[in-house]
Amino acid sequence: MAHNDPNWPRASEWLKSGGHDVAILGVPLNHSISPGRCDLAPAAIREALHFYSPFDVDQGTTIPSPEDLGDLKVSSHGPEDAFPIIVDRLQDLRKANRRIILLGGDNGVTRPGVHGLGLPLEKCGLITLDAHLDLRDTTNGLHNGNPVRALLEDGMPGKNIIQIGIQSFANSEPYYKVALESGIEVCPRSNLSDFLVTAMVDEVMFWLPGDVEAVYLDIDLDVMDRAFAPGCPGSRPGGLTPSELRTAIRLICDDARVVIADIVELDPERDLNNVTALAGAACLLEVASAWGHLNSRP
C-alpha cells in the first residue's frame, strides 16, 4: 500500500483537482516512422506524476492545478484524419484564453497543435526541443518525422521557427539545407556545451520576429540523452540531460507568448523503470509552474 501523507500531496491527485487557467489534454496520435505505442504515453505520464509533488522549491509555492480534459479519441486515426479533431478542440480552448499542455502521442501532434493557436501562421512561432529537424519529405504522407516540413508547406515562415538541441548524426544534409534555406534558426546540441542553457534561451527568444503573437513549444523527449530517454525510439547518446531540458522549458515558458506546449515521443513499452515517463511528468510540471508564475505576476 502506498504511503499517504496529507502534508505531502502527490501531483497525480493535484492533477485531478481541476483548475481553469491551464488545461491538460491527451493526444494519443500514433503514426510513427518507428512503429510503437506512443498512444500509451498520456496515461504513462499521468501515472508518473504519482512520484512528484506540485510544490516548486524554486518558486516557493505550490503550482496552481490545471484541468485534466482527458484524451482526444485519435489513437486509431492517421495524421490527416486527426488534424481537424485536434485543431478544433485547441481553438475552442484558446478562445477561452486557456494555456494548454498536450500529452502526445508522437511528434505528428505538433502540426495540428500549431494550427490550434487559432492565428494566421505568419503570427505563430514554433520552438522545438528536439534531436531531429522533423523536415522529412511529405510526398508519402504525414508522420512524426515531418511536422515541421508540413508547417512550412502550410505557409509558416521559417524565420518563425527555432530548433534547439539538434544532434549530429541524427539528421541528414538535404533536410538540414531545407532548414537553412527556409530561414529556420537551428541551435545544435553542440552549441549548448559552449555556454549555459540559460544564456542560450535568453538569446534565442530574441530571434523570434516581433510580429509573432503566440508561440507553440514542442518538447520531444528524444532531445535527451538516451540514458535518460530509453522510452524514445529516436533518442541517442549525447543529448540533453533532464536538468538542462527542464531549465530550457522553464525559461521558454516564462515568455507570455508561449501558450501551448506538447510533450511527445514517449513509447512506454520501450521505457525502462519509467525513466522517460518520469522525465515527461517533470516537463509537465515545469511548464505548469512557469505558467503559474506568469499568472501570479501583478
Side-chain angles (χ1 to χ4, degrees), residues 72 74 77-90 112:
L72 290 176
V74 295
H77 291 56
E80 294 87 352
D81 292 335
F83 182 85
I85 299 172
I86 299 169
V87 173
D88 289 350
R89 186 70 174 108
L90 294 181

Side-chain angles (χ1 to χ4, degrees), residues 99-296:
R99 283 188 164 91
I100 309 148
I101 302 173
L102 303 178
L103 304 180
D106 64 39
N107 223 145
V109 168
T110 300
R111 176 181 174 243
V114 171
H115 282 272
L117 291 169
L119 294 171
L121 290 176
E122 307 86 57
K123 301 291 185 182
C124 298
L126 169 64
I127 300 174
T128 75
L129 292 166
D130 197 337
H132 306 99
L133 295 164
D134 291 342
L135 288 168
R136 289 176 183 258
D137 197 284
T138 61
T139 303
N140 294 319
L142 301 176
H143 47 68
N144 68 329
N146 58 22
V148 178
R149 181 67 168 269
L151 283 165
L152 290 175
E153 294 174 358
D154 291 338
M156 188 170 195
K159 63 184 177 64
N160 292 12
I161 302 172
I162 299 170
Q163 299 194 279
I164 300 170
I166 302 301
Q167 281 204 52
S168 292
F169 319 121
N171 295 279
S172 74
E173 184 174 356
Y175 295 137
Y176 182 65
K177 288 181 178 178
V178 171
L180 297 183
E181 291 167 0
S182 301
I184 293 173
E185 292 283 358
V186 177
C187 182
R189 166 57 172 143
S190 57
N191 284 10
L192 305 184
S193 301
D194 298 332
F195 51 94
L196 296 174
V197 171
T198 299
M200 177 272 299
V201 173
D202 285 344
E203 180 177 348
V204 301
M205 296 308 287
F206 285 105
W207 294 347
L208 287 171
D211 55 354
V212 166
E213 296 179 8
V215 176
Y216 185 100
L217 173 61
D218 166 37
I219 305 167
D220 185 335
L221 295 173
D222 73 22
V223 74
M224 291 187 291
D225 189 283
R226 182 106 183 148
F228 305 112
C232 294
S235 64
R236 298 290 182 266
L240 298 182
T241 67
S243 178
E244 289 170 330
L245 176 58
R246 291 170 62 173
T247 297
I249 289 168
R250 181 180 292 265
L251 293 168
I252 291 168
C253 290
D254 195 48
D255 187 311
R257 293 174 296 175
V258 181
V259 294
I260 304 180
D262 70 31
I263 301 169
V264 298
E265 290 296 318
L266 163 63
D267 181 347
E269 290 193 341
R270 295 172 183 252
D271 209 1
L272 298 174
N273 297 321
N274 296 322
V275 167
T276 320
L278 285 165
C283 291
L284 183 160
L285 292 167
E286 292 290 359
V287 175
S289 182
W291 285 347
H293 183 59
L294 274 178
N295 292 337
S296 68

Side-chain angles (χ1 to χ4, degrees), residues 14-24 63-69 89 92-101 259 288 291-292 295:
W14 159 87
L15 185 62
K16 297 175 184 177
S17 56
H20 297 286
D21 293 326
V22 176
I24 307 291
I63 310 169
S65 60
E67 181 180 13
D68 189 352
L69 301 177
R89 186 70 174 108
D92 284 345
L93 291 169
R94 286 299 303 143
K95 287 175 184 176
N97 207 31
R98 308 285 295 275
R99 283 188 164 91
I100 309 148
I101 302 173
V259 294
W291 285 347
N295 292 337

